[in-house]
Amino acid sequence: MYYDLVLHIDDNDPKRMNLALNNYANTAAALPEEEFKVVLLVNGPAAQLLKRDQAELAAKAAGFMANGLSIRVCRNALKAFDVKPEELWEGVEIVPAGMVELIRLQREGFAYIKP
């Protein structure tokens, strides 16, 4: 079975980000014997949630990232919402365009979930 997943967040709502992180945790717990990838793709106003001042979310995400969660953010969103790369959580990857990354992941077979 193939369980690769992209979780997509585009609004500046900490509850939505927390839900996405919980989605990752629940997926990982449900598939202990499976190999799979999960990407949390962030664009639009949600880029602001990846700033280090979101300490509670950052701490939660750090543990998941250590276990394989990949968090990617749109460079266009960073510019649009004045978020500097050095303000991002440790380990967040910047992609040139969030929508292009989303298309690429879906073409690779990732299931799309928007919490």
Side-chain angles (χ1 to χ4, degrees):
M1 197 53 103
Y2 190 69
Y3 294 105
D4 290 352
L5 170 64
V6 58
L7 298 163
H8 178 216
I9 302 296
D10 62 359
D11 60 345
N12 187 7
D13 181 353
K15 290 178 187 174
R16 180 86 56 175
M17 178 64 77
N18 194 54
L19 180 59
L21 294 171
N22 288 342
N23 286 166
Y24 167 78
N26 292 338
T27 300
L31 301 170
E33 304 299 319
E34 299 289 336
E35 284 191 35
F36 61 95
K37 298 175 191 167
V38 179
V39 174
L40 174 55
L41 181 65
V42 179
N43 72 317
Q48 298 166 89
L49 294 172
L50 298 178
K51 292 173 73 172
R52 293 177 194 254
D53 65 356
Q54 295 287 333
E56 189 174 316
L57 289 173
K60 184 174 186 175
F64 296 151
M65 292 170 74
N67 289 320
L69 174 64
S70 173
I71 300 179
R72 301 176 191 172
V73 64
C74 174
R75 182 178 309 279
N76 297 321
L78 294 179
K79 289 179 186 175
F81 295 94
D82 197 32
V83 178
K84 295 174 181 30
E86 60 271 14
E87 294 177 301
L88 294 173
W89 301 343
E90 187 72 32
V92 171
E93 179 184 349
I94 300 170
V95 297
M99 291 298 93
V100 173
E101 184 71 0
L102 183 57
I103 292 166
R104 187 184 70 73
L105 291 168
Q106 287 183 296
R107 284 187 176 168
E108 288 183 9
F110 280 68
Y112 174 85
I113 302 291
K114 185 173 175 92

